[in-house]
Structures are given as structure tokens and as C-alpha cells.
Amino acid sequence: MRPSLPLTLAVLLFAATAIPTAAQEGGALSPRVVDEAAVPGVMAKAVDGFIIPGYRGLAEATVGLAETSAALCEAPSAAALEAARSAFSGVVRRWSAIEIIRLGPALEQNRFERFLFYPDRKSTGLKQVQAILAKEDESATQVESLKKKSVAVQGLGALEYVLYGTGAETLAGKDGAFRCRYGVAISENLKAIAGELLTEWERPDGIQAAWKKPGPDNPLFRDSREAATELLGILVHSVEMVKDQRLRPFYTGTLDGKPDKGRPRLAIYWRSVNTMAAISANLRALQMLFDTAGMESLLPADSRSIAGSINFLFKALIRAADRIEGPIDAALADENQRATLDFIALNTADLLDRFNREFGGAIGLGAGFSFADGD
């Protein structure tokens, strides 16, 4: 017999909170000082083991996308369109695995927004993309002129509409010629941005050097404490992003005290059915960064259980995200999948607290410090 919704959710919540917090184990955390000797090694592993491989994977995926997009234009067919869509989904996953590094080169030249313009709260970007398609604006089919246009018409959101939006079926035949050329220009633009990001991080004397060697002459981190703060801040702000920018727009559980029916068209990548795959990739990336960098080594010996509870939550959240398959509107209409969304929302908030309060407190970020508040 299938368990009722309250029982199912209660079991999930009990599983996610089964590991006690540090405060429960040993009382309130006393002020600590970050192990400065361990920080450079942690930062180096974050760069060499996570950031550079992540951007390398993104660059490779965008090359494949550009190639399949060009092939679609050269010989349009249903199979070629499916190949382009598959390549698009591959880029979404690769991007979702590295978009948490929203700093440095990603912020220069508006690279982040040019790669992904989201959220589009007033559908401004959508209207601009639709106008380009309606007018058949040839300037949007050349990378150099496209990159000078609004960030909303040159990235993943625009390409998703090209491949999946109203009229996308024309891409399988000759009637979609302009639409296809626009899609190729977006794909080439994404390839160029991904290549720039990788190049900037691979430069030995660039940002990776600043990450690996905190010190008084470092332009980014005057000491190891500042470096550790940046790294932990990535985790805190990214978990907050998943909670507030990926989940909350389309589902809150309750709305004005009533069960929330959801707003599927506000979900990221809803047209291409990549919403939960992207969220899962975000969570996997965060866990990979945490583990690959060896952030547990920053914790005092008597607080190492914090890392265990964080990894436990990561695993539970990733499993939950992977259970939601298919269109997001179908998930919102299913009682069990809504319970899973409730679980993800509640435990993402718990994960945020464990990073922000427990981990930060344990490595000496001081009482009252809050990444989430930007203090």
C-alpha cells in the first residue's frame, strides 16, 4: 500500500535530519580561528580539481553544440533537430555544474548574463527573442553583432526558445532557415564565452594564482581568512540560489496560506524539460566542490561531524531531485512529486543554515556573520 503524503514526507524529513548538528553534540560552538596553513591547499584543490575541469567540460560541450547546430542548418531533419536539442541539454548540465562560480571572469564583460539571462521576470528577454524571429533580424545571425545586443537574446534562454519554443518544429525543414541561423550564432557565442572563461582560469599568472596564494600582495585575498570566506561564500550563495531562484519561482509549497499549485512556466528550462536536471547538477557541483577542495580539513577536529551532516544532506537532496522526471507541470500535478519538492525546499534551507551558521562558525567567521545577508 502506498504511504500517505504526510507519512512519506515525515519519513524523508526524519532521514535528512537524522545526523545531529554540532550544537546538539557539544553545545554552542566557541569562537575559532580558521586553519590558515590548510587554506592554500584547499583553494588550490578547488581550482585544479573543480573549477578548471568544470570550465573545460563546459567548453567541450559548447563545441559540440555549435557543431550539431551547424549540421542542423546544413541538413535539416527531425533527427538533426533532436541531436541539436540533445547537445543543448548537455550544455545546460555542464553549465549548471559550474555556474556556481559566479565571480572573477564570469562577471567580466557580462559573461555570466550573456551565457544565462535568468530570471526573466517581465518576459523582457522572451519578447526580444520573439521579435528577432518575427522580423528575421539578420544581425542576430552573426556572432559579432549578436554579442552587442541585449544579454537576453544571446544565451541559453534564447537558444532554448529557438529549439523548443513556438515554431521550433520548422527547424526540421527548410522553413526554419532563419531560425536555425540565429541558433547557430547563439551556439557560437556560447562557445566563445566558454572558451574565454577557461582561458582566464588556465592562465598561471591570472585568477588561479590569486586563489592559490593568499597574502598581503594578493589583489583578491590579503590573507587565508579572506580566501576561506570567498570559498565558503560560493557554497552559501549557491545553495541560496537553488532555494530562492531555482525552486521558489515555480513552487513554494504554500501561497498565501493555501497549497501552492505552482507556476511551471516560471521554472528555469521548462520548455526543454531540464528544470530538475539543472537543479540536480547544481547540487552535485556544490558537493563536488566541497569534497574535492577538502573543505572538511578547515574544520577543527571536534567539529568534523559538520562535514558529515552536510554530505548527508547533499546526497538526500540529489536523490530527491533525480526522482523528479519529465515536464515540471506534470510534477506539480502529482502528489508524490510535490512531496518531493517540499522535501527539497525544506532541506535546502537546512543545508544553507549548516553552511552559513555551523560551518562558518566552526572555522571562526564569528558570531553574527552571515553570508546570506552579505554582512
Side-chain angles (χ1 to χ4, degrees), residues 287 290-291 296 306-316 351:
Q287 184 179 31
F290 182 72
D291 291 339
E296 181 179 354
I306 294 173
S309 64
I310 285 172
N311 266 314
F312 185 90
L313 272 175
F314 268 132
K315 291 175 183 177
L351 181 61

XYZ file of all heavy atoms in Angstrom, residues 287 290-291 296 306-316 351:
128
model
N 28.397 19.764 -3.937
C 29.003 18.688 -3.160
C 30.396 18.366 -3.677
O 31.335 18.136 -2.891
C 28.141 17.428 -3.192
C 28.704 16.332 -2.300
C 27.857 15.078 -2.294
O 27.208 14.742 -3.285
N 27.853 14.365 -1.173
N 32.810 21.033 -2.463
C 33.042 20.856 -1.036
C 34.017 19.711 -0.772
O 34.969 19.847 0.011
C 31.707 20.591 -0.346
C 31.777 20.441 1.152
C 32.008 21.542 1.960
C 31.620 19.200 1.747
C 32.074 21.412 3.338
C 31.683 19.059 3.118
C 31.913 20.170 3.921
N 33.806 18.590 -1.450
C 34.638 17.402 -1.222
C 35.981 17.478 -1.934
O 37.019 17.113 -1.375
C 33.885 16.144 -1.652
C 32.705 15.820 -0.742
O 32.704 16.304 0.405
O 31.796 15.096 -1.181
N 36.521 19.943 4.512
C 36.457 19.355 5.855
C 37.740 19.632 6.627
O 37.723 19.773 7.862
C 36.210 17.853 5.756
C 36.108 17.156 7.103
C 35.828 15.670 6.971
O 35.596 15.197 5.845
O 35.865 14.982 8.012
N 30.273 18.129 11.206
C 29.528 19.084 10.390
C 29.646 18.704 8.916
O 28.662 18.745 8.168
C 30.051 20.517 10.626
C 29.765 20.962 12.062
C 29.424 21.496 9.632
C 30.404 22.298 12.426
N 30.843 18.325 8.506
C 31.048 17.919 7.117
C 30.228 16.676 6.790
O 29.659 16.554 5.691
C 32.526 17.661 6.855
N 30.157 15.748 7.729
C 29.367 14.543 7.511
C 27.891 14.849 7.324
O 27.231 14.280 6.449
N 27.361 15.752 8.135
C 25.944 16.090 8.023
C 25.667 16.843 6.724
O 24.613 16.666 6.104
C 25.493 16.910 9.230
O 26.156 18.163 9.285
N 26.613 17.675 6.295
C 26.460 18.394 5.031
C 26.422 17.413 3.867
O 25.558 17.500 2.984
C 27.596 19.421 4.860
C 27.347 20.627 5.784
C 27.733 19.863 3.410
C 28.502 21.606 5.847
N 27.329 16.450 3.855
C 27.342 15.463 2.771
C 26.102 14.582 2.795
O 25.590 14.183 1.744
C 28.614 14.609 2.844
C 29.724 15.152 1.964
O 29.501 15.500 0.813
N 30.929 15.243 2.507
N 25.609 14.288 3.979
C 24.381 13.503 4.098
C 23.225 14.252 3.439
O 22.432 13.673 2.682
C 24.079 13.234 5.573
C 22.893 12.341 5.807
C 23.054 10.970 5.891
C 21.623 12.868 5.935
C 21.961 10.131 6.108
C 20.525 12.041 6.151
C 20.698 10.672 6.235
N 23.125 15.541 3.718
C 22.062 16.356 3.129
C 22.218 16.452 1.614
O 21.240 16.372 0.874
C 22.069 17.749 3.742
C 21.241 17.938 5.017
C 21.451 19.336 5.572
C 19.761 17.704 4.736
N 23.443 16.648 1.156
C 23.670 16.704 -0.280
C 23.149 15.443 -0.964
O 22.442 15.508 -1.979
C 25.165 16.867 -0.579
C 25.624 18.292 -0.713
C 26.764 18.733 -0.044
C 24.940 19.185 -1.522
C 27.191 20.046 -0.170
C 25.367 20.496 -1.662
C 26.502 20.932 -0.984
N 23.518 14.292 -0.445
C 23.113 13.033 -1.060
C 21.595 12.890 -1.082
O 21.009 12.449 -2.085
C 23.755 11.862 -0.315
C 25.269 11.779 -0.501
C 25.868 10.678 0.361
C 27.392 10.654 0.225
N 28.013 9.640 1.105
N 20.950 13.262 0.018
C 19.493 13.161 0.083
C 18.824 14.109 -0.911
O 17.849 13.746 -1.585
C 19.018 13.467 1.505
N 20.359 22.953 4.636
C 21.731 22.939 4.135
C 22.340 24.337 4.180
O 23.505 24.509 4.570
C 21.751 22.402 2.708
C 23.112 22.280 2.024
C 24.021 21.313 2.781
C 22.940 21.822 0.574
